[in-house]
């Protein structure tokens, strides 16, 4: 069967990317921009979340509960991103996500944190607390709108449920970050602890997926040509460009001035 755009997949579907030479499962957790204004227009795409945590990391070895440029952030947007193959890299978007800066101020929209791979925030995972800063994102479609334990928030590391980080700091602390425990409920920990890391990323909506859920290389429309009277013309979007004019292609033929080629 033909490949299809990733934007047609239902939330909860599996998508597979090549990470470090290994076919790795991600889940579709959101289609489209979760909340315009809070999220930059770059966030309009298909949101993926790793089904399992690939590693354990400290949020910040300095001890400060600041996500941006901390150990996890640097690893995800650096070494982890670089472990994707070229097909995946061509589809992963550079986006601006809402985040809390080192002064405990929420930055949104065009002032968001520019990243390719990142952790989800507490609100994006459907969690809230009076010591969690509001506005650091909105619940993604895949996750339940409750702070109670939920299977959809459970992630594994080495085959067993794991305690993993969000990118959300506790607002009344300088050292603790919000996290998700082994049964999917809200918890917290000091940022120097080694906990699970569950990467998230956003793919362009027109990324192609095959029948097995694998991301496939983009189609180069300029590679499609038609031959007319010995001259090769480019086929784009189902039309043939001749001298700057687009002509319809009908039933496998190009119709120009009433003549089928």
């Amino acid at each position: 069967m033909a490949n299809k755009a990733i934007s047609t997949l239902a939330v909860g579907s599996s998508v597979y990317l090549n990470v470090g030479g290994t076919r790795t499962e991600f889940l579709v957790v959101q289609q489209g921009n979760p909340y315009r204004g809070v999220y930059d227009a770059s966030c309009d795409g298909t949101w993926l979340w790793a089904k399992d945590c690939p590693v354990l990391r400290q949020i910040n070895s300095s001890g400060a509960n600041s996500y941006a440029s901390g150990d996890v952030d640097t690893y995800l947007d650096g070494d982890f991103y670089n472990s994707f193959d070229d097909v995946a890299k061509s589809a992963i978007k550079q986006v601006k996500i809402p985040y809390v800066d080192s002064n405990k101020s929420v930055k949104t929209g065009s002032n968001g944190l520019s990243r390719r791979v990142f952790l989800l925030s507490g609100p994006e995972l459907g969690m809230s607390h009076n010591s969690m800063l509001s506005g650091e994102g909105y619940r993604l479609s895949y996750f339940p709108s409750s702070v109670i334990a939920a299977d959809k928030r459970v992630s594994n590391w080495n085959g067993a449920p794991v305690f993993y980080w969000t990118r959300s700091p506790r607002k009344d602390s300088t050292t603790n970050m919000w996290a998700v425990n082994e049964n999917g409920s809200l918890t917290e920990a000091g940022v120097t602890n080694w906990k699970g890391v569950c990467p998230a990323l956003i793919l362009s909506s027109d990324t192609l997926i095959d029948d097995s859920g694998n991301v496939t290389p983009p189609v180069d429309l300029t590679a499609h040509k038609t031959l007319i009277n010995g001259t090769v013309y480019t086929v784009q979007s189902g039309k043939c460009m001749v001298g700057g004019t687009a002509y319809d292609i009908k039933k496998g033929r190009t119709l120009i001035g009433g003549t089928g080629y």
Side-chain angles (χ1 to χ4, degrees):
M1 295 177 67
N3 295 338
K4 55 190 173 186
I6 195 171
S7 60
T8 65
L9 297 183
V11 169
S13 299
S14 293
V15 171
Y16 296 88
L17 302 175
N18 192 318
V19 184
T22 301
R23 184 173 182 261
T24 303
E25 185 175 7
F26 289 76
L27 299 176
V28 176
V29 292
Q30 173 72 28
Q31 289 286 15
N33 192 319
Y35 196 95
R36 299 188 185 282
V38 171
Y39 291 89
D40 184 77
S42 62
C43 294
D44 192 0
T46 299
W47 291 60
L48 300 183
W49 183 63
K51 185 175 181 181
D52 297 316
C53 291
V55 295
L56 305 181
R57 282 286 190 278
Q58 298 170 301
I59 281 285
N60 202 336
S61 57
S62 72
N65 65 344
S66 178
Y67 176 77
S69 300
D71 293 30
V72 165
D73 180 36
T74 300
Y75 163 73
L76 287 178
D77 210 52
D79 290 347
F80 187 77
Y81 170 78
N82 290 327
S83 69
F84 285 101
D85 68 5
D86 289 341
V87 173
K89 285 180 180 176
S90 70
I92 297 172
K93 301 184 68 176
Q94 182 98 30
V95 300
K96 289 189 175 182
I97 53 171
Y99 79 108
V100 179
D101 68 12
S102 58
N103 297 316
K104 295 293 194 300
S105 176
V106 178
K107 302 297 184 182
T108 62
S110 61
N111 295 316
L113 187 64
S114 181
R115 292 293 184 267
R116 296 163 298 195
V117 187
F118 49 91
L119 292 183
L120 296 181
S121 67
E124 287 165 353
L125 286 158
M127 300 187 295
S128 62
H129 190 278
N130 58 13
S131 290
M132 183 183 292
L133 286 157
S134 62
E136 194 192 5
Y138 279 77
R139 182 178 64 86
L140 304 182
S141 300
Y142 177 74
F143 299 104
S145 58
S146 172
V147 297
I148 64 172
D151 289 345
K152 285 186 174 182
R153 282 195 291 265
V154 173
S155 186
N156 293 331
W157 179 68
N158 283 349
V162 67
F163 182 125
Y164 64 90
W165 295 115
T166 77
R167 69 173 187 271
S168 301
R170 184 171 178 122
K171 70 179 182 181
D172 53 3
S173 168
T174 60
T175 59
N176 278 22
M177 211 80 171
W178 291 109
V180 180
N181 68 19
E182 293 84 350
N183 64 9
S185 59
L186 182 67
T187 187
E188 61 180 293
V191 295
T192 58
N193 284 282
W194 289 72
K195 302 296 182 183
V197 173
C198 293
L201 48 92
I202 303 174
L203 298 191
S204 299
S205 297
D206 58 356
T207 300
L208 296 178
I209 305 296
D210 67 19
D211 291 339
S212 298
N214 302 302
V215 171
T216 65
V219 175
D220 180 8
L221 293 176
T222 64
H224 294 258
K225 308 286 185 178
T226 188
L227 186 65
I228 302 174
N229 293 336
T231 301
V232 176
Y233 295 95
T234 300
V235 176
Q236 294 181 328
S237 302
K239 295 180 180 293
C240 177
M241 296 294 294
V242 180
T245 301
Y247 295 92
D248 290 328
I249 297 175
K250 298 181 178 180
K251 294 184 179 180
R253 297 170 64 82
T254 302
L255 189 65
I256 300 176
T259 301
Y261 293 90

